[in-house]
mmCIF file of all heavy atoms in Angstrom:
data_model
loop_
_atom_site.group_PDB
_atom_site.id
_atom_site.type_symbol
_atom_site.label_atom_id
_atom_site.label_comp_id
_atom_site.label_asym_id
_atom_site.label_seq_id
_atom_site.Cartn_x
_atom_site.Cartn_y
_atom_site.Cartn_z
ATOM 1 N N ASN A 2 117.939 104.164 94.649
ATOM 2 C CA ASN A 2 118.311 105.486 95.132
ATOM 3 C C ASN A 2 117.878 106.560 94.137
ATOM 4 O O ASN A 2 118.296 106.572 92.997
ATOM 5 C CB ASN A 2 119.822 105.532 95.324
ATOM 6 C CG ASN A 2 120.179 106.718 96.154
ATOM 7 O OD1 ASN A 2 119.856 107.838 95.784
ATOM 8 N ND2 ASN A 2 120.805 106.467 97.273
ATOM 9 N N TYR A 4 118.611 109.661 94.025
ATOM 10 C CA TYR A 4 119.584 110.700 93.679
ATOM 11 C C TYR A 4 120.540 110.240 92.602
ATOM 12 O O TYR A 4 120.988 111.002 91.776
ATOM 13 C CB TYR A 4 120.392 111.116 94.906
ATOM 14 C CG TYR A 4 119.515 111.332 96.091
ATOM 15 C CD1 TYR A 4 119.586 110.498 97.198
ATOM 16 C CD2 TYR A 4 118.565 112.340 96.060
ATOM 17 C CE1 TYR A 4 118.742 110.685 98.255
ATOM 18 C CE2 TYR A 4 117.710 112.519 97.114
ATOM 19 C CZ TYR A 4 117.810 111.698 98.214
ATOM 20 O OH TYR A 4 116.979 111.868 99.259
ATOM 21 N N THR A 23 123.642 121.943 116.053
ATOM 22 C CA THR A 23 124.377 123.168 116.432
ATOM 23 C C THR A 23 124.957 123.830 115.175
ATOM 24 O O THR A 23 124.955 123.236 114.085
ATOM 25 C CB THR A 23 125.558 122.825 117.369
ATOM 26 O OG1 THR A 23 126.544 122.113 116.597
ATOM 27 C CG2 THR A 23 125.125 121.995 118.564
ATOM 28 N N ILE A 29 129.590 121.785 109.036
ATOM 29 C CA ILE A 29 130.035 120.533 108.394
ATOM 30 C C ILE A 29 129.111 120.204 107.205
ATOM 31 O O ILE A 29 129.577 119.830 106.123
ATOM 32 C CB ILE A 29 130.054 119.362 109.417
ATOM 33 C CG1 ILE A 29 131.061 119.622 110.543
ATOM 34 C CG2 ILE A 29 130.316 118.006 108.729
ATOM 35 C CD1 ILE A 29 132.520 119.604 110.154
ATOM 36 N N ALA A 43 121.312 112.184 108.485
ATOM 37 C CA ALA A 43 120.448 111.147 109.059
ATOM 38 C C ALA A 43 120.551 111.141 110.579
ATOM 39 O O ALA A 43 121.641 111.077 111.146
ATOM 40 C CB ALA A 43 120.828 109.782 108.487
ATOM 41 N N LYS A 51 116.316 109.078 127.128
ATOM 42 C CA LYS A 51 115.566 110.297 127.456
ATOM 43 C C LYS A 51 116.108 111.443 126.627
ATOM 44 O O LYS A 51 116.969 112.204 127.064
ATOM 45 C CB LYS A 51 115.703 110.620 128.954
ATOM 46 C CG LYS A 51 114.452 110.250 129.745
ATOM 47 C CD LYS A 51 114.472 110.843 131.138
ATOM 48 C CE LYS A 51 113.606 112.101 131.193
ATOM 49 N NZ LYS A 51 113.859 112.926 132.354
ATOM 50 N N LYS A 64 115.548 120.434 109.088
ATOM 51 C CA LYS A 64 115.007 120.892 107.786
ATOM 52 C C LYS A 64 115.041 122.413 107.721
ATOM 53 O O LYS A 64 115.485 122.990 106.733
ATOM 54 C CB LYS A 64 113.572 120.390 107.595
ATOM 55 C CG LYS A 64 113.536 118.950 107.118
ATOM 56 C CD LYS A 64 112.126 118.431 106.948
ATOM 57 C CE LYS A 64 112.174 116.910 106.819
ATOM 58 N NZ LYS A 64 110.949 116.248 107.210
ATOM 59 N N THR A 74 119.116 116.154 101.955
ATOM 60 C CA THR A 74 117.892 115.484 102.395
ATOM 61 C C THR A 74 118.051 115.193 103.884
ATOM 62 O O THR A 74 119.141 114.808 104.323
ATOM 63 C CB THR A 74 117.718 114.126 101.673
ATOM 64 O OG1 THR A 74 117.713 114.351 100.280
ATOM 65 C CG2 THR A 74 116.428 113.441 102.062
ATOM 66 N N ALA A 86 123.770 102.975 105.331
ATOM 67 C CA ALA A 86 124.608 103.537 104.266
ATOM 68 C C ALA A 86 124.493 102.691 102.992
ATOM 69 O O ALA A 86 124.371 103.220 101.885
ATOM 70 C CB ALA A 86 126.062 103.615 104.733
ATOM 71 N N LYS A 87 124.486 101.358 103.162
ATOM 72 C CA LYS A 87 124.360 100.478 101.985
ATOM 73 C C LYS A 87 122.977 100.641 101.356
ATOM 74 O O LYS A 87 122.833 100.709 100.145
ATOM 75 C CB LYS A 87 124.590 99.012 102.391
ATOM 76 C CG LYS A 87 126.074 98.680 102.569
ATOM 77 C CD LYS A 87 126.306 97.186 102.654
ATOM 78 C CE LYS A 87 126.182 96.695 104.063
ATOM 79 N NZ LYS A 87 126.589 95.307 104.267
ATOM 80 N N ARG A 90 122.770 103.597 99.341
ATOM 81 C CA ARG A 90 123.844 103.573 98.340
ATOM 82 C C ARG A 90 124.779 104.777 98.504
ATOM 83 O O ARG A 90 125.178 105.418 97.516
ATOM 84 C CB ARG A 90 123.267 103.490 96.930
ATOM 85 C CG ARG A 90 122.562 102.136 96.729
ATOM 86 C CD ARG A 90 121.859 102.023 95.431
ATOM 87 N NE ARG A 90 122.772 102.021 94.297
ATOM 88 C CZ ARG A 90 122.388 102.110 93.032
ATOM 89 N NH1 ARG A 90 121.106 102.209 92.746
ATOM 90 N NH2 ARG A 90 123.253 102.100 92.055
ATOM 91 N N GLN A 101 141.133 115.468 119.722
ATOM 92 C CA GLN A 101 141.696 114.107 119.795
ATOM 93 C C GLN A 101 140.658 113.102 120.290
ATOM 94 O O GLN A 101 140.689 111.945 119.904
ATOM 95 C CB GLN A 101 142.904 114.053 120.733
ATOM 96 C CG GLN A 101 144.079 114.873 120.287
ATOM 97 C CD GLN A 101 144.043 116.257 120.927
ATOM 98 O OE1 GLN A 101 142.984 116.837 121.140
ATOM 99 N NE2 GLN A 101 145.212 116.802 121.232
ATOM 100 N N PHE A 104 138.713 112.021 117.444
ATOM 101 C CA PHE A 104 139.580 111.203 116.581
ATOM 102 C C PHE A 104 139.664 109.770 117.113
ATOM 103 O O PHE A 104 139.519 108.802 116.361
ATOM 104 C CB PHE A 104 140.979 111.832 116.487
ATOM 105 C CG PHE A 104 141.939 111.032 115.668
ATOM 106 C CD1 PHE A 104 141.912 111.095 114.282
ATOM 107 C CD2 PHE A 104 142.861 110.183 116.280
ATOM 108 C CE1 PHE A 104 142.782 110.332 113.512
ATOM 109 C CE2 PHE A 104 143.738 109.421 115.513
ATOM 110 C CZ PHE A 104 143.698 109.498 114.133
ATOM 111 N N GLN A 110 135.142 103.368 115.299
ATOM 112 C CA GLN A 110 133.887 103.402 114.532
ATOM 113 C C GLN A 110 134.167 103.126 113.056
ATOM 114 O O GLN A 110 133.481 102.355 112.407
ATOM 115 C CB GLN A 110 133.254 104.801 114.622
ATOM 116 C CG GLN A 110 132.674 105.133 115.953
ATOM 117 C CD GLN A 110 131.365 104.384 116.151
ATOM 118 O OE1 GLN A 110 131.347 103.397 116.871
ATOM 119 N NE2 GLN A 110 130.327 104.818 115.514
ATOM 120 N N MET A 113 135.000 99.507 112.178
ATOM 121 C CA MET A 113 133.817 98.648 112.195
ATOM 122 C C MET A 113 132.950 98.881 110.952
ATOM 123 O O MET A 113 132.468 97.937 110.329
ATOM 124 C CB MET A 113 133.013 98.916 113.491
ATOM 125 C CG MET A 113 131.809 98.033 113.655
ATOM 126 S SD MET A 113 132.191 96.257 113.508
ATOM 127 C CE MET A 113 132.801 95.917 115.139
ATOM 128 N N LYS A 115 133.983 100.026 108.032
ATOM 129 C CA LYS A 115 134.701 99.478 106.867
ATOM 130 C C LYS A 115 134.588 97.952 106.834
ATOM 131 O O LYS A 115 134.536 97.351 105.769
ATOM 132 C CB LYS A 115 136.181 99.887 106.897
ATOM 133 C CG LYS A 115 136.432 101.347 106.568
ATOM 134 C CD LYS A 115 136.019 101.729 105.167
ATOM 135 C CE LYS A 115 137.077 101.523 104.111
ATOM 136 N NZ LYS A 115 136.605 101.953 102.769
ATOM 137 N N GLY A 148 122.209 129.053 130.674
ATOM 138 C CA GLY A 148 123.320 129.781 130.030
ATOM 139 C C GLY A 148 122.870 130.299 128.671
ATOM 140 O O GLY A 148 121.822 129.900 128.147
ATOM 141 N N VAL A 154 123.795 127.850 118.218
ATOM 142 C CA VAL A 154 122.821 127.024 117.481
ATOM 143 C C VAL A 154 122.083 127.929 116.492
ATOM 144 O O VAL A 154 122.033 129.138 116.692
ATOM 145 C CB VAL A 154 121.789 126.353 118.437
ATOM 146 C CG1 VAL A 154 122.443 125.328 119.338
ATOM 147 C CG2 VAL A 154 121.037 127.387 119.273
ATOM 148 N N ASN A 160 114.984 129.375 119.293
ATOM 149 C CA ASN A 160 113.568 129.699 119.556
ATOM 150 C C ASN A 160 112.786 128.476 120.014
ATOM 151 O O ASN A 160 111.964 128.556 120.924
ATOM 152 C CB ASN A 160 112.919 130.306 118.308
ATOM 153 C CG ASN A 160 113.493 131.683 118.007
ATOM 154 O OD1 ASN A 160 114.067 132.316 118.894
ATOM 155 N ND2 ASN A 160 113.381 132.119 116.770
#
Side-chain angles (χ1 to χ4, degrees):
N2 195 302
Y4 314 113
T23 69
I29 297 292
K51 257 193 100 196
K64 279 179 194 155
T74 303
K87 282 193 272 189
R90 294 174 66 189
Q101 296 94 325
F104 178 80
Q110 288 285 103
M113 183 53 81
K115 287 297 272 181
V154 293
N160 292 340

